[in-house]
Amino acid sequence: MKSKSLTFIVPIFAIIILVLAACGSGDGEKKDNAGAEKESASSYPEKNIDGIIMWGEGGATDIIARTLAPMVESEIDGSLVMQNKAGAAGAIATQYVHDQPADGYTLLFGAENPNLYQVLDISDRSYQEDFVPVTIIANSFAGIIVKADSPFETLEDLVEFAKEKPNELIFGTTGEGGLPSVVLAMLQNELGTEFKTVPYDGEGPVTTALLGGEVDVTAVTVSAAQDYVESGDFRMLTVVNEEPIEALPDVPAITDSYPEIDKYLPWGPFQAVFAHKDTPADIVEKLSESFQAAVETDEFKDTLSNLGMEYMNISGQEAIDYVDQNRSTSAWMLYEAGETAKSPEEFDIPKVEE
């Protein structure tokens, strides 16, 4: 009887010992994996980082990204390989970055456009649900521009013509959700203008189209138009702000002519860098520190000033709050102008109080 009991008990103890050993081994593996993650973050980057620019060459996003990249390389001790992936108001680049591994090796150099993808039914992607901000570099101002030989000397000239002869003038855009479409919504919603629109893949292409006479008017960031204005090729009719800006002090603010636009302001495009939302937090932190150090340099601040942009250099929760505020303003502005496919309420986008 004793012998049978021992025969039964010994295998049970053996099983328990094996299970405990396996658990201990698993804990060790977890610790080793955690250590490996820390080690990989501390040694990041171990290969080139791809910087995906959501617009074509020559626009504000492209200029800022390519100016900043070499400065970031010095800070992070790695290489940034910049690529333009234009199309669908930046949605092609946004989807591309979203589809890459969340390892910090593919970054989105973007503007405000993904804030409107869902209400415009362009894409399911959004900054809020799919990305984390590495840094908000700067914000800027939109300017409404025409060629220097245009018959429209003032914004009032343009608005009156567009109201009296709807859809006769061609307004160049960067597609649904781009800066020009938001400015058009302001004009339509408050002033009753009607333009024919033609989309282009970014500010560079649309300014080239204006220069070539393919379109009559467009709205772009001040940075994308400034050289053309200063060279005498373009005339900027207004800056979309409550007051003139330092970069172009002679250009009137839009509220000088149309005070009713004030309810949408302050509003403007921004330049930022985003990573996939599942990127390890310590890698995002390392990226943020490197980008912020680069943006903080006097050399880059001078670049921003010369481009008519306002230095921001924010990250973390402050950056998240800023992007959310921009989204609320733009989404509801377009919705009230009848330009969105869906209501912002469907996506829990709060309305900004006037």
Side-chain angles (χ1 to χ4, degrees), residues 183-327:
V183 173
L184 275 171
M186 285 186 195
L187 299 180
Q188 177 185 327
N189 213 28
E190 296 302 319
L191 309 178
T193 58
E194 292 185 48
F195 294 90
K196 179 181 179 181
T197 60
V198 176
Y200 293 85
D201 285 337
E203 290 187 321
V206 80
T207 52
T208 299
L210 180 62
L211 194 62
E214 295 176 23
V215 301
D216 299 299
V217 57
T218 189
V220 294
T221 53
V222 169
S223 54
Q226 190 169 350
D227 285 348
Y228 291 104
V229 173
E230 292 175 349
S231 66
D233 292 310
F234 292 164
R235 178 185 304 121
M236 187 171 289
L237 302 180
T238 189
V239 61
V240 182
N241 196 38
E242 307 101 319
E243 58 186 18
I245 62 172
E246 187 177 344
L248 293 170
D250 295 330
V251 177
I254 194 167
T255 50
D256 288 353
S257 302
Y258 300 103
E260 57 266 48
I261 299 294
D262 183 71
K263 72 181 193 179
Y264 298 120
L265 305 175
W267 172 88
F270 61 81
Q271 306 300 321
V273 182
F274 292 87
H276 192 287
K277 68 173 181 178
D278 296 327
T279 304
D282 47 3
I283 288 180
V284 173
E285 184 178 356
K286 186 170 184 177
L287 281 165
S288 292
E289 289 172 355
S290 299
F291 271 90
Q292 288 189 305
V295 175
E296 186 67 27
T297 61
D298 290 339
E299 181 182 355
F300 190 72
K301 284 182 177 178
D302 287 343
T303 298
L304 293 178
S305 178
N306 292 336
L307 289 172
M309 305 189 80
E310 287 193 338
Y311 163 90
M312 292 188 68
N313 203 13
I314 59 173
S315 60
Q317 190 60 48
E318 187 179 5
I320 292 170
D321 292 343
Y322 175 83
V323 174
D324 288 351
Q325 173 80 10
N326 182 281
R327 183 195 198 196

Side-chain angles (χ1 to χ4, degrees), residues 114-135:
N115 275 339
L116 294 170
Y117 288 166
Q118 292 178 330
V119 295
L120 291 171
D121 205 19
I122 292 174
S123 167
D124 292 332
R125 303 279 71 83
S126 74
Y127 284 141
Q128 288 72 18
E129 296 168 15
D130 302 306
F131 296 92
V132 58
V134 171
T135 180

Side-chain angles (χ1 to χ4, degrees), residues 87-102:
I92 289 175
T94 304
Q95 185 66 50
Y96 175 82
V97 175
H98 175 267
D99 292 342
Q100 304 312 303

